[in-house]
């Protein structure tokens, strides 16, 4: 199957910012998900960059039903399968390896893969994809780069991630080919370390208010 763009857009159009988080325990993931839901950002991406990630995804799916818990930093087919088994509602990859795209074709969780160059975009279009991650957004050329792609790839919509912050998020969200952004600023490491979930809920509410 090609990309289930409808299922993915149903998630990504709910909120202007998808929090991209790395958690140190399942419990931290649950507390964080509750804070983000409270702030109005139910869709969250728990990255497989920590050993606790899969347990956290499972725990969030079981204990925070209002959250729409996705998995991020998926680099291999095996990770895709493990993330799907843990209950991930969507799966994000920084790129688009053959293995991950094949795993998505065999699985059921919608995949948001990364693509940046015209050739990468054309490869994904051939595979039936229309919603793509753009990573690392700022380093690749940011807003001017996405503006330049728009007329040539009119059917493609992006979730720029990497270097997006309160400083530039408005510029990204103003682009017609941007569906939402990904970012870690709503769950800062310091706030997580201090277990300051009230601060995270406030940051989430500010991010939620970026789009009506
Ligand atoms: O692991 C991934 O799949 C990523 O997306 C890498 C980063 O976690 C995001 O790019 C967030 O980056 P910042 O908002 O700049 O901190």
């Amino acid at each position: 199957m090609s990309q289930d763009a409808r299922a993915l857009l149903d998630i990504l159009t709910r909120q202007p910012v998808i929090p991209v988080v790395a958690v140190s325990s399942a419990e931290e993931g649950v507390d964080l998900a509750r804070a983000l839901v409270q702030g109005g950002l139910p869709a969250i991406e728990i990255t497989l960059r920590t050993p606790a990630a899969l347990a956290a995804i499972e725990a969030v799916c079981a204990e925070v039903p209002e959250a729409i818990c996705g998995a991020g930093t998926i680099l291999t087919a095996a990770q895709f399968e493990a993330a799907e088994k843990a209950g991930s509602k969507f799966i994000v990859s920084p790129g688009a390896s053959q293995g991950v795209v094949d795993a998505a074709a065999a699985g059921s969780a919608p995949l948001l893969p990364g693509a940046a160059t015209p050739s990468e975009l054309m490869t994904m279009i051939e595979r039936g994809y229309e919603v793509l991650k753009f990573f690392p957004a700022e380093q690749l050329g940011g807003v001017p780069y996405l503006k330049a792609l728009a007329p040539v790839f009119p059917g493609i919509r992006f979730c720029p991630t990497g270097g997006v912050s309160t400083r530039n998020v408005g510029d990204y969200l103003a682009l017609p080919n941007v569906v939402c952004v990904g970012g870690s600023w709503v769950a800062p490491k310091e706030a997580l370390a201090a277990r300051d979930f009230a601060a995270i809920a406030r940051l989430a509410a500010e991010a939620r208010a970026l789009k009506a």
Side-chain angles (χ1 to χ4, degrees):
M1 193 181 78
S2 58
Q3 185 184 39
D4 190 348
R6 186 189 288 249
L8 200 54
L9 287 170
D10 184 46
I11 296 169
L12 301 182
T13 55
R14 282 166 194 254
Q15 59 197 57
V17 181
I18 306 294
V20 180
V21 303
V23 296
S24 56
S25 68
E27 189 203 10
E28 183 180 77
V30 166
D31 290 337
L32 177 56
R34 287 203 176 107
L36 293 169
V37 165
Q38 193 193 331
L41 299 180
I44 92 173
E45 177 187 330
I46 296 183
T47 61
L48 265 65
R49 283 192 273 137
T50 62
L54 289 171
I57 292 167
E58 258 185 55
V60 170
C61 291
E63 295 175 39
V64 194
E66 310 89 344
I68 303 163
C69 188
T73 327
I74 296 298
L75 306 181
T76 65
Q79 286 180 331
F80 183 100
E81 285 153 14
E84 185 164 71
K85 198 161 159 238
S88 305
K89 305 294 184 294
F90 62 102
I91 295 187
V92 187
S93 176
S97 70
Q98 190 73 44
V100 169
V101 174
D102 286 347
S108 56
L111 172 67
L112 176 68
T117 65
S119 294
E120 288 168 359
L121 293 171
M122 288 160 65
T123 300
M124 295 315 286
I125 289 168
E126 282 174 353
R127 296 210 58 165
Y129 279 71
E130 55 190 89
V131 189
L132 299 166
K133 176 167 173 160
F134 179 62
F135 170 81
E138 275 294 278
Q139 292 82 350
L140 283 172
V143 166
Y145 189 105
L146 288 169
K147 270 189 187 160
L149 289 176
V152 181
F153 297 98
I156 298 293
R157 296 172 79 189
F158 294 97
C159 173
T161 305
V164 184
S165 67
T166 52
R167 183 181 59 81
N168 56 16
V169 63
D171 298 333
Y172 279 102
L173 292 174
L175 298 177
N177 60 346
V178 166
V179 61
C180 63
V181 303
S184 65
W185 84 88
V186 290
K189 277 195 198 84
E190 307 72 43
L192 275 177
R195 299 188 52 78
D196 189 353
F197 294 106
I200 291 172
R202 276 196 302 278
L203 288 168
E206 280 166 28
R208 179 68 193 85
L210 288 165
K211 200 168 86 178

